[in-house]
Amino acid sequence: MASRFTRLTTSIPKFARGYAAPASVKAPITLFGLDGRYATALYTAAARQNTLEAVEKDLKALNLAVEKDATLRAFLENPTVNRAVKMEGINAVLGKSPSQITQNFFETLAENGRLNQTTKVIASFEELMSAHRNELPLVVTSAKALDKATLNKIVESLQKSTLSEGKKLLVSNKVKPDILGGIMVEIGDKSIDLTVSAKLAKLNKLITDSI
């Protein structure tokens, strides 16, 4: 099976079909764009071999290295760098024991000249893994950091609402002083703006329209 998978091809669907698997295996959500298609192919191949967590671990390690090293990011995104040289760089970061699927996937990216999509593909793969775990991102933006009790109350309220869709909320508190006060809630692809700055903007519009 692995020998079929390692044949470098410019066709993403062929990549995902590199391993025999039940037809029922599919991505939990539909992603669009080039990065979405590559991430979906990787997710499908890893799911078929029960190596999702191993591949995720590899990608997190690579992403961390790219985030810490601007030179590495520039190296991957530079179209003038030879693909083979880029692959050597990827191998150096992945180390000696990446998942075979991870290794083959990046060889495919290199062959297709798509290593410049690395960080986008990783981000898309994380979206798929989050959906796989039935998680939903919740970002609460406030003028100053919220205490744990306040944040918990917001989370509990949303968890009981239809907005959470019964999913596990991945909570983060973003601090943005220029909202002046109140909060902005972003849950999945939905948002609720209860900030003072938004209310002032509406008030200013009403005043302007009435003049």
Side-chain angles (χ1 to χ4, degrees):
M1 290 188 294
S3 61
R4 290 177 57 199
F5 191 81
T6 53
R7 285 183 296 178
L8 303 180
T9 173
T10 56
S11 172
I12 299 175
K14 285 183 180 179
F15 172 90
R17 292 197 300 268
Y19 290 98
S24 59
V25 175
K26 61 183 294 185
I29 56 175
T30 301
L31 298 181
F32 300 95
L34 185 63
D35 55 298
R37 289 165 57 208
Y38 271 105
T40 299
L42 177 57
Y43 175 92
T44 304
R48 287 170 174 172
Q49 291 297 303
N50 295 314
T51 58
L52 282 171
E53 288 73 19
V55 171
E56 183 180 30
K57 182 179 178 181
D58 291 338
L59 296 188
K60 283 183 175 180
L62 177 58
N63 197 50
L64 182 61
V66 172
E67 287 180 348
K68 287 184 175 180
D69 192 343
T71 302
L72 176 58
R73 177 187 287 271
F75 169 77
L76 291 175
E77 295 179 352
N78 188 341
T80 65
V81 178
N82 182 277
R83 297 174 190 174
V85 175
K86 282 187 178 181
M87 195 59 217
E88 287 178 10
I90 289 287
N91 287 334
V93 175
L94 290 176
K96 296 180 179 180
S97 58
S99 162
Q100 187 63 52
I101 289 181
T102 303
Q103 181 71 36
N104 293 337
F105 178 72
F106 279 104
E107 287 178 3
T108 300
L109 279 186
E111 178 67 17
N112 294 351
R114 298 297 186 182
L115 283 175
N116 62 330
Q117 296 289 314
T118 294
T119 56
K120 291 181 180 180
V121 170
I122 292 175
S124 292
F125 187 84
E126 279 305 305
E127 280 190 63
L128 291 168
M129 288 300 294
S130 186
H132 168 73
R133 289 188 285 258
N134 202 36
E135 298 169 342
L136 190 66
L138 167 62
V139 180
V140 181
T141 302
S142 53
K144 60 180 181 180
L146 299 176
D147 59 76
K148 187 174 182 179
T150 301
L151 196 57
N152 284 342
K153 286 182 180 178
I154 295 172
V155 173
E156 287 173 8
S157 177
L158 289 170
Q159 194 75 71
K160 296 175 183 178
S161 74
T162 56
L163 290 173
S164 68
E165 301 173 350
K167 296 183 178 181
K168 176 184 178 182
L169 297 179
L170 296 179
V171 186
S172 61
N173 182 198
K174 183 187 299 183
V175 176
K176 192 175 181 183
D178 60 5
I179 69 172
L180 303 179
I183 60 171
M184 176 182 288
V185 176
E186 296 170 273
I187 180 168
D189 59 357
K190 305 175 182 69
S191 63
I192 305 171
D193 194 340
L194 302 174
T195 62
V196 172
S197 59
K199 293 177 181 178
L200 287 175
K202 290 180 181 178
L203 178 60
N204 287 333
K205 187 177 186 305
L206 287 174
I207 294 173
T208 302
D209 291 344
S210 64
I211 296 175

